[in-house]
């Protein structure tokens, strides 16, 4: 139990060091969702599979890039808590990617031939 608590404390302390970036990312996410909702014709359902696939791909890539970003290595992971943290952080990176990609894709996706000017630049 101590290892889990220690891991959560480490993640919390790391989040505090980048709090302005987290608040900025939250503001951008709120703007993306607001733009998709205000558009009125956002394609939420049809863009869900592509968004999930992008999030899953980024989560899988996170298994390799999270240790690189933390200046660590797979060889230094000898305890189950290390692996749990790696998988959890990679899943979180994928979830954040999904949260940003889905409203973006829903906003820019063209309806199925409902609007003849969709995709045509003026």
């Amino acid at each position: 139990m101590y290892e889990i608590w220690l891991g959560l404390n480490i993640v919390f302390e790391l989040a505090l060091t980048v709090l302005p970036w987290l608040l900025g990312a939250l503001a951008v996410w709120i703007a993306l969702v607001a733009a998709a909702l205000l558009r009125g014709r956002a394609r939420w359902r049809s863009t869900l599979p592509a968004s999930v696939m992008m999030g899953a791909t980024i989560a899988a890539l996170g298994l390799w890039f999270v240790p690189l970003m933390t200046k660590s290595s797979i060889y230094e992971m000898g305890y189950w808590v290390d692996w749990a943290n790696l998988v959890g952080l990679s899943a979180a990176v994928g979830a954040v990617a999904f949260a940003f990609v889905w409203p973006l894709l829903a906003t820019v996706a063209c309806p199925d031939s409902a609007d003849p000017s969709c995709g045509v630049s003026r």
Side-chain angles (χ1 to χ4, degrees), residues 26-63:
L26 178 65
V28 169
W29 180 77
I30 289 172
L32 284 172
V33 171
L37 291 175
L38 292 176
R39 180 175 181 239
R41 296 180 309 172
R43 308 279 297 178
W44 293 103
R45 186 171 295 158
S46 65
T47 58
L48 181 62
S51 301
V52 168
M53 184 62 70
M54 289 178 147
T57 302
I58 290 176
L61 289 173
L63 290 171

Side-chain angles (χ1 to χ4, degrees), residues 8-23:
L8 289 174
N9 279 329
I10 291 170
V11 170
F12 177 73
E13 291 294 329
L14 287 173
L16 285 179
T17 63
V18 293
L19 189 60
W21 288 99
L22 291 175
L23 293 175

Side-chain angles (χ1 to χ4, degrees), residues 1 8 31 33 36-37 40-43 66-67 70 77 80 97 118:
M1 190 69 181
L8 289 174
V33 171
L37 291 175
R41 296 180 309 172
R43 308 279 297 178
V66 166
T70 58
M77 304 193 46
W80 70 269
C118 184

Side-chain angles (χ1 to χ4, degrees), residues 4 7 11-12 18 20 26 28-29 32 37 41 52 60 65 71-73 75-78 81 90 101 104 113 122:
I4 295 171
V11 170
F12 177 73
V18 293
L26 178 65
V28 169
W29 180 77
L32 284 172
L37 291 175
R41 296 180 309 172
V52 168
F65 287 116
K71 296 183 176 84
S72 182
S73 170
Y75 299 111
E76 295 176 11
M77 304 193 46
V81 175
S90 297
V101 166
L104 183 64
S113 70
R122 294 178 191 222

